[in-house]
Amino acid sequence: MSLDPPTYLNSLQNNIRARPIPWEGAVRAGTITDQDLKKIKAVDKVRKEQRKQTVEADIGTYRDLLLGGDSGKSVLESAAKRADVVQYILVLTGDLLNDVPGLPSALLDHSDPYKPFLPLLTHSTNSEDPIPLLTSSVLASLISAAQTKFPKSTPQTDEALPKLYRYLSGLTKSQDSGLQDIAVQEYSTVLRTKKSRELFWKQRQETVGPLMEILRTAGGAGKDTDSTLWSGGASIRSATDAGLGGGVGLQVLYHVLLVIWQLSYESSLVGKGLEEEYEIIPLYTQLLRLSPKEKTTRLLLSTLLNLLTPTSNRPYLLTTAVSVRLPNLLSNLKGRHLTDPDLLDDLQSLTDMLDDYTSSQTTLDEYSSEVLAGHLKWSPPHRDQTFWRENASKIVTDNKGELPKKLAEIMGKSWDSDKQVLAIACNDVGWLVKECPEKRGELEKLGLKGRVMELMAEPDENVRYESLKAVGEWLRYNFDK
């Protein structure tokens, strides 16, 4: 998929192309050689076709110029102390990679094709420093070419990718949307292979995390705040062509969604983690409500379908999808005037999948799946008196008390970023004691009573309230008796 070059980067490159470089002075100072200068001038400020012919006629010489060879260093290494020359050569390299089809392959035949570029990624900690920015663009183009030339990857590419990812992750954390867009588009350029996506996921704290924060901001939910995502309070009228929540522009939003869509092709690897660590199902459900463009709606639906397709992901992700009312939203989407055929196909496939799931699931099945997944939400069963009256005994006894044991495991964690999990668990324990008082001893042996009493001292008021209610059920039974 071809994307327009980021405006910020395009402007920077144009400015550098227009700068005069005192080349003869650089030769006299020993920054570059006279031979290097002749090669540069032969392709600098000439027509694209002439440049192409010049390089193709002497492609080995230009490979040595950019990467170094038996006769000497790369021109980038020789000119390391001259920032203006390095910037100019980086822009020229990018132009040559775009204009000369055979050059990327020739560079990749070098024994170490990324060597002159990788050190430049750490040239400065300033995110606006042109040298790392220009370097990342060259590396993204070269790595993308390597993925085509060597489908099984190479050790050099596997070493270079994490370093590129690390640099780009810093740009995604910037407050400047232009820098964010550079990073996200370059991510997209290299996420073409299974190996590149696996490495991207392996570094997810650096790579995926900041992208999810951009999406949460767009969805109207800041870090560690779930209320907007789970309530679905915003509507499509909240979004405009200029941007969504937090001022996230539609272009950046689209490119971030594109990267996550590419990652979702490794759904068996990433599906459960995307939900456990980033709550992607409620987040994407909220973004679907807000999405004002078919192109963003298409990516959201396609990503959800990719994640829900593997059988191994379904027990956890489908339960969450139902909890955040995704089926209702899909029904509403069908009422919109949508024309994209791929979008409509994905919408129908998702609808059919969720319909099949909901028609085959009892309420107890849904509750069990949620508990066993290990992350509780305020789904309907938790506050349904009829559900507890009919199912509490089964919950305590079925499969040798599997569900109470899992509740004890869930309650044993601190849940610093999602305290509502503890509140919900206390609620459930209270219902079990109320409906199955004869099983109190078994529940106490699992440590549930002690943990509920500890949580009465929690700073979070919802956790305190639910734990107090649960302890009250134990006390009420004693008093009634």
Side-chain angles (χ1 to χ4, degrees), residues 419-439:
K419 289 295 184 181
Q420 74 167 355
V421 173
L422 293 175
I424 298 167
C426 289
N427 167 84
D428 293 3
V429 171
W431 278 110
L432 292 175
V433 174
K434 180 177 181 177
E435 298 298 332
C436 302
E438 72 281 3
K439 300 293 185 181

Side-chain angles (χ1 to χ4, degrees), residues 101-139:
L103 182 61
S105 180
L107 295 182
L108 292 166
D109 286 334
H110 191 279
S111 60
D112 199 350
Y114 309 116
K115 181 184 176 184
F117 304 110
L118 290 175
L120 298 179
L121 288 176
T122 55
H123 179 265
S124 162
T125 57
N126 178 5
S127 61
E128 296 184 10
D129 185 334
I131 289 179
L133 278 174
L134 297 167
T135 301
S136 70
S137 177
V138 170
L139 277 170

Side-chain angles (χ1 to χ4, degrees), residues 136-145 147 157 161 164-165 168 183-197 200 262:
S136 70
S137 177
V138 170
L139 277 170
S141 297
L142 198 53
I143 289 172
S144 178
Q147 291 167 338
T157 298
L161 262 175
L164 178 61
Y165 288 157
L168 295 179
V184 177
Q185 288 206 43
E186 289 177 11
Y187 278 153
S188 183
T189 298
V190 299
L191 285 174
R192 302 175 53 167
T193 64
K194 180 179 180 68
K195 186 60 179 288
S196 64
R197 294 189 289 267
F200 191 80
Q262 290 172 278

